[in-house]
Amino acid sequence: MKLISYLEKSGRESCGLVTGDAAKPTGIIDLGDRYTSLRALLADPSGLEYARSRANGQPSAAWGDVRLLPVITDPSKILCVGVNYASHIKETGRETPTKPMIFNRFAETQVGANEDMLCPKVSEQFDYEGELAVIIGKRSRYVTPEQAMHRVAGYSCYNDGSVRDWQRHSQQFAPGKNFPKTGAFGPWLVTTDELPDISAQTLKTRLNGEEVQNATLDDLIFNVPELVSYCSSFITLEPGDVIITGTTGGVGAFHKPPLWMKAGDKVEIEISGIGILRNGIVKEPADFAI
């Protein structure tokens, strides 16, 4: 089952169920008659069951008639994991971490699928990071790795766009990870029942059609159950919270010369079994200020 957040032509925001397959979605069954957002649906213990009960209904909108929003438009938390792939650790020269490296991204920095990501005017070092996003489905505190997958609603693709020079201003990553419109999240949430073994899936990133990242998710240092358990130990995870699990090797910063995203570029994050997140890149106007 594929669930989305979207904007109708009328300006109404809603959530819905995608019809058709990942390669050719055809329409949307609106669930906004019952839920104000996808986060609200996940917060309802019967929300996913209700969505499944609507799966054979008639689409209320054609796929091409809506604008996709970030999968969860209003998460209370977005927790990001740094240096969590063996291939990425190798290219950075870091030691393998003994505990997950966690930092925060804010919801207002996100865009949905097919929207443009924004290269800030104060940097030319805008990097891609293809990642798996894990969406929490149940309130969780101190869950064990064995319990963790029962707390996950589903998965999506994420481009954790990184402004590298600002990321490296100090040991804290937050400045380089929270410029407006630098994180892309989509196109939809795929429920866990469709992907019983997420570690078997493959993540690829393409920049202007050229493959720049390729790894199976079993290359993760800390896997999904371990991350959910760890995060639930220091904070209460709520339905709709997002854990972005880290990027694999091949980021632009370690190409020679570096391969930065720039205006006019097209970037794709593809995870097998989930789908493809596509975004363009635009440059922030040089005279922009508020």
Side-chain angles (χ1 to χ4, degrees), residues 26-290:
T26 55
I28 298 160
I29 298 171
D30 183 57
L31 302 176
D33 57 340
R34 182 159 173 170
Y35 298 106
T36 56
S37 69
L38 191 47
R39 176 183 173 186
L41 182 151
L42 296 177
D44 178 359
S46 63
L48 291 177
E49 182 181 351
Y50 173 74
R52 288 191 182 95
S53 74
R54 297 281 303 276
N56 294 322
Q58 285 295 112
S60 55
W63 181 251
D65 289 343
V66 303
R67 172 186 163 193
L68 298 184
L69 299 173
V71 174
I72 306 295
T73 58
D74 56 346
S76 67
K77 292 176 285 295
I78 303 172
L79 302 174
C80 307
V81 186
V83 288
N84 194 32
Y85 277 80
S87 55
H88 188 43
I89 290 170
K90 182 178 180 180
E91 72 180 358
T92 64
R94 293 175 177 264
E95 294 185 0
T96 300
T98 58
K99 298 291 182 184
M101 179 190 295
I102 307 292
F103 58 93
N104 297 332
R105 178 180 275 277
F106 300 109
E108 60 265 33
T109 69
Q110 300 184 126
V111 297
N114 307 320
E115 295 293 299
D116 288 332
M117 300 172 71
L118 185 64
C119 180
K121 69 177 186 178
V122 294
S123 176
E124 298 297 331
Q125 297 185 13
F126 190 29
D127 207 348
Y128 52 83
E129 289 196 10
E131 309 202 13
L132 170 73
V134 175
I135 299 101
I136 300 299
K138 295 180 181 178
R139 198 164 196 254
S140 303
R141 187 77 201 278
Y142 293 123
V143 299
T144 66
E146 292 74 25
Q147 297 167 329
M149 291 310 300
H150 297 291
R151 309 305 178 96
V152 175
Y155 308 105
S156 191
C157 304
Y158 209 99
N159 189 346
D160 187 28
S162 302
V163 184
R164 293 295 185 198
D165 45 351
W166 282 74
Q167 180 184 339
R168 293 167 175 161
H169 282 176
S170 73
Q171 293 183 335
Q172 304 301 319
F173 285 3
K177 298 286 188 171
N178 282 289
F179 277 81
K181 298 184 179 181
T182 54
F185 186 13
W188 42 59
L189 178 158
V190 174
T191 50
T192 54
D193 58 294
E194 294 197 12
L195 294 166
D197 183 10
I198 191 63
S199 68
Q201 305 308 311
T202 300
L203 184 153
K204 297 179 181 180
T205 301
R206 291 180 290 272
L207 185 62
N208 299 322
E210 179 182 350
E211 186 177 288
V212 289
Q213 291 185 295
N214 186 333
T216 51
L217 298 184
D218 60 4
D219 193 41
L220 285 165
I221 302 301
F222 302 101
N223 63 27
V224 172
E226 291 168 332
L227 291 174
V228 173
S229 176
Y230 182 82
C231 291
S232 77
S233 297
F234 70 82
I235 201 165
T236 301
L237 296 174
E238 302 287 353
D241 284 354
V242 183
I243 300 174
I244 308 170
T245 56
T247 197
T248 183
V251 297
F254 293 100
H255 282 248
K256 295 184 179 180
L259 181 62
W260 308 121
M261 295 189 293
K262 60 187 185 302
D265 284 350
K266 303 292 182 183
V267 60
E268 296 179 331
I269 312 298
E270 179 176 7
I271 302 177
S272 58
I274 297 178
I276 303 176
L277 169 65
R278 297 182 175 92
N279 299 92
I281 307 297
V282 297
K283 184 72 175 179
E284 190 173 46
D287 60 353
F288 176 76
I290 296 175

